[in-house]
Amino acid sequence: MTRVDALLKYPASVKSAIKLQEQFAHMVSLIPRKVPPTITGIDLSYSTQSLKNDISRAVAAAVTVRLPSLEPVETAIASGTIPFPYVPGCLGFREVPLAAAAIEKLDNDPCVILFDGHGIAHPRKFGAASHCGLALGIPSIGCAKSAFTTTQTCQIAMEQFASQPSWLRKQVVGHAIRMAEGVNPVFMSPGHLVDMASALQIMRCCSSGFRVPQPIRLAHEAAGREKKQLSSSPPRDWLDPLP
DNA sequence: GCGACAG
DNA sequence: ATCTTGTCGC
């Protein structure tokens, strides 16, 4: 597993973070991929109170599900302090270090990661999903609940899996897709080591009848449950691993 | 210049 | 993301 440590550290400034994104965006490769035997959903849950300016405590969850059943097979959790603020366009630097810690606790390396955020549908073609995939050398797909810098040309039909291309500077960088009939669409884009067609096909395997794909739903729930546990214990317990 | 801005 | 119960609608 080829790790990129520069992407797993917290940058000293937003400027340096953006510079790293511009540099590493060139290393993202979108290649065809068959539907994998498992998908690993990633999500973070944040503590109510921040420690200082934009310093917050959070829990990251990685949940691997089997296809096509979508049954969970493994869950890993990592918690800790996050010293990088939320800056639109720099989400990867805030979430990926802790997400990676959770992923590396899994007994089995993920086949494909489904990250709660954008892939290449990003101003510098390097959203959090691309960031996570490249940092760990694992195929990744981004799935966000709202568009960021992209636009849709046409309306999206109401039926399940209806989709429309997402455009960014005359380029199709992802798709808005309805994971179930009647629900609002989500916004998917390839992250790393997965091309557009493969990402769409894999996304279609992740619907459990809700708006949010099952791997991310389970990760969201797992992170939320863990946060609830930790919120009732001393702050030091949020350090992971414990001293 | 102004506003908008994944989680 | 997070603070939060009941409630409107299919």
Side-chain angles (χ1 to χ4, degrees):
Chain A
M1 192 180 276
T2 313
R3 287 188 15 151
V4 179
D5 289 320
L7 295 177
L8 295 172
K9 297 176 181 173
Y10 294 104
S13 68
V14 173
K15 283 220 170 189
S16 58
I18 290 175
K19 201 163 191 173
L20 286 168
Q21 290 180 328
E22 294 171 336
Q23 173 186 171
F24 284 106
H26 300 297
M27 296 175 65
V28 168
S29 71
L30 307 183
I31 60 182
R33 195 119 235 143
K34 293 179 180 178
V35 172
T38 67
I39 297 281
T40 301
I42 308 295
D43 192 34
L44 278 74
S45 183
Y46 291 86
S47 158
T48 301
Q49 73 282 16
S50 55
L51 272 43
K52 290 184 180 179
N53 317 312
D54 298 316
I55 309 292
S56 36
R57 296 183 300 186
V59 174
V63 179
T64 298
V65 306
R66 183 190 349 270
L67 294 183
S69 69
L70 294 177
E71 299 269 340
V73 298
E74 189 180 0
T75 297
I77 295 290
S79 58
T81 298
I82 296 186
F84 195 82
Y86 169 65
V87 178
C90 292
L91 181 66
F93 287 103
R94 177 166 167 78
E95 302 204 331
V96 170
L98 199 58
I103 292 168
E104 290 178 336
K105 284 186 180 181
L106 292 168
D107 291 329
N108 303 98
D109 293 340
C111 298
V112 174
I113 284 168
L114 188 57
F115 201 100
D116 191 332
H118 288 106
I120 61 170
H122 175 277
R124 290 171 289 284
K125 310 282 284 289
F126 200 71
S130 299
H131 188 138
C132 190
L134 186 60
L136 299 177
I138 299 174
S140 64
I141 297 169
C143 177
K145 293 175 291 298
S146 60
F148 187 22
T149 40
T150 62
T151 58
Q152 257 63 50
T153 296
C154 313
Q155 311 298 314
I156 304 165
M158 289 299 273
E159 62 252 40
Q160 183 178 43
F161 301 141
S163 64
Q164 281 295 313
S166 299
W167 294 82
L168 171 65
R169 299 179 214 132
K170 313 297 183 185
Q171 290 234 8
V172 175
V173 293
H175 280 75
I177 175 175
R178 282 190 214 284
M179 296 300 285
E181 182 175 348
V183 303
N184 290 322
V186 292
F187 301 81
M188 68 82 37
S189 56
H192 181 50
L193 301 178
V194 180
D195 69 9
M196 189 70 68
S198 307
L200 266 174
Q201 187 179 7
I202 292 170
M203 278 291 284
R204 283 182 240 124
C205 297
C206 294
S207 172
S208 53
F210 298 91
R211 183 198 182 199
V212 175
Q214 187 70 350
I216 289 180
R217 287 191 91 222
L218 294 177
H220 188 81
E221 294 174 356
R225 280 195 302 271
E226 180 67 9
K227 186 191 66 176
K228 188 171 183 180
Q229 292 298 309
L230 294 181
S231 62
S232 62
S233 67
R236 45 180 280 186
D237 289 352
W238 284 69
L239 299 180
D240 189 26
L242 274 66

